[in-house]
Amino acid sequence: MKKFNPQKFIKEKIEELRKKIKDKRALIATSGGVDSVTCAVLTRKAIGENLVVFFIDDGLMRENEPEEVRKTFEKMKIDVEIWDVSDNFFESLKGKIDPEEKRKAFRDVFYKTLSQAVRSYSVDFLIQGTIAADIIETQKGIKTQHNVLSQIGINPLLQFGLTIIEPLKELYKNEVRMVAKALGLPKKVYDRKPFPGPGLATRIIGEVTRERVEKIRIATKIVEEELKEKKIFQAFPVLFSDKATGIINDERVLGDIIAIRAVESVDALTAKVVKISFKRLYRIRDRILKEVPGVVKVLYDITPKPPSTIEYV
Ligand code: XMP
């Protein structure tokens, strides 16, 4: 296999973006993740202020995430347009328990918001941070990614009058990280662990409500803090929809179950379980039981992908 050369990729992509977009305007919706931030910076280098960097605050992000994203871009002297539309997401997710229905609900609000932004900022191009693994998994029918438009039956030209550009679509995650590093992005960005587009909603089995998101948000913070210095591809908690018996304040109750998952992977297509020491797992368990209200069981998931997937829903 030919060795990937990030500098060459950057040079060629910037040229290509300039040729395609010319003096028109483009918009990128960033999640703060390495794919969309890399795309934003590449496009910014190509077309300057004609790029609008847009952030949808869906209420499903980790603690302080909208502010962190704003700060990351601020350091690169790029303004971010932030829209808080969390009420619309929760309204659309209300009562939905089927994973694909939840994905669809998320996607519908996501694209409705995006199309409003596209109109409001008068752009002709939409830049997307789709990478190779997103496309492969959607083609295989393993899971619909929220961002592979043509494969989820959305024709952007017809529906939004837009041309989509996916500058990273032939790259794998490790190559995107190399590009991010070569672009001079901070370690916080190029080393950032993948976080799914639908955010904490993918870490909740069953209905996604503000209250349940808050529980998984606290648990996520704990897992990330306790495993901070470990090199792990993805590590996160998942909130189950079933309840289990437990004892809280000397009373027998039905409480929540949270599983911890930590996996090693290169491209997310396969994954191995990370061996976390019991000492560390106990620390995570203790903090979850203390800090997340109503939890009575904490489990550790030991299944690889395949046959499992990385996420639960
Ligand atoms: P799975 O669960 O399919 O996940 O093994 C593979 C990789 O994709 C991420 N993932 C998503 N990313 N939108 C995203 O942007 C999604 O709907 C989505 N579902 C899964 C997951 O975190 C892992 O890195």
Side-chain angles (χ1 to χ4, degrees), residues 102-309:
K102 290 196 296 187
R103 273 165 196 275
K104 186 175 178 306
F106 178 88
R107 212 159 59 210
D108 288 350
V109 180
F110 186 90
Y111 282 105
K112 203 168 148 219
T113 312
L114 200 54
S115 66
Q116 281 164 354
V118 157
R119 279 197 297 273
S120 129
Y121 296 109
S122 307
V123 300
D124 306 285
F125 292 89
L126 185 63
I127 313 293
Q128 290 231 313
T130 321
I131 65 169
D134 300 339
I135 297 176
I136 294 169
E137 296 236 304
T138 308
Q139 274 165 352
K140 281 195 196 153
I142 293 173
K143 191 179 279 175
T144 51
Q145 293 281 138
H146 79 285
N147 52 356
V148 186
L149 294 193
S150 57
Q151 289 166 355
I152 53 179
I154 295 176
N155 180 330
L157 251 183
L158 286 182
Q159 269 172 281
F160 307 121
L162 276 179
T163 306
I164 302 273
I165 304 180
E166 295 170 315
L168 308 179
K169 75 171 177 217
E170 66 263 37
L171 303 192
Y172 284 91
K173 202 84 188 181
N174 53 329
E175 294 169 332
V176 178
R177 291 191 200 286
M178 288 162 81
V179 172
K181 201 170 172 182
L183 278 169
L185 300 187
K187 187 169 163 41
K188 203 172 83 183
V189 173
Y190 68 74
D191 245 5
R192 199 175 147 111
K193 293 177 177 150
F195 187 66
L200 297 173
T202 39
R203 280 142 198 203
I204 293 177
I205 305 178
E207 192 182 3
V208 179
T209 61
R210 279 197 189 266
E211 192 204 349
R212 302 191 77 215
V213 168
E214 197 42 42
K215 286 187 187 189
I216 208 66
R217 184 175 284 132
I218 302 169
T220 300
K221 182 170 172 238
I222 295 169
V223 171
E224 290 185 355
E225 279 175 4
E226 295 300 333
L227 297 173
K228 197 164 54 200
E229 80 292 355
K230 284 194 117 15
K231 253 192 126 19
I232 298 177
F233 186 74
Q234 273 177 288
F236 54 87
V238 179
L239 179 63
F240 285 16
S241 50
D242 279 340
K243 298 267 181 177
T245 50
I247 304 161
I248 297 181
N249 298 331
D250 287 335
E251 248 185 68
R252 192 176 166 87
V253 294
L254 273 180
D256 285 313
I257 309 170
I258 284 187
I260 310 298
R261 183 141 174 80
V263 294
E264 216 29 86
S265 176
V266 176
D267 52 16
L269 296 176
T270 62
K272 282 187 189 150
V273 174
V274 176
K275 283 185 200 151
I276 299 178
S277 72
F278 266 90
K279 193 172 157 209
R280 206 180 279 263
L281 283 173
Y282 283 178
R283 220 163 46 219
I284 294 173
R285 170 203 66 191
D286 289 345
R287 283 194 61 191
I288 288 181
L289 290 175
K290 190 162 157 237
E291 296 172 42
V292 186
V295 177
V296 293
K297 295 220 187 273
V298 180
L299 320 176
Y300 190 53
D301 181 340
I302 54 165
T303 14
K305 173 182 181 176
S308 186
T309 57

Side-chain angles (χ1 to χ4, degrees), residues 74-92:
E74 194 177 47
K75 284 204 186 103
M76 296 182 277
K77 307 221 164 10
I78 300 176
D79 287 336
V80 183
E81 302 291 330
I82 301 179
W83 287 12
D84 179 350
V85 284
S86 53
D87 285 345
N88 301 353
F89 278 93
F90 283 109
E91 187 53 42
S92 173

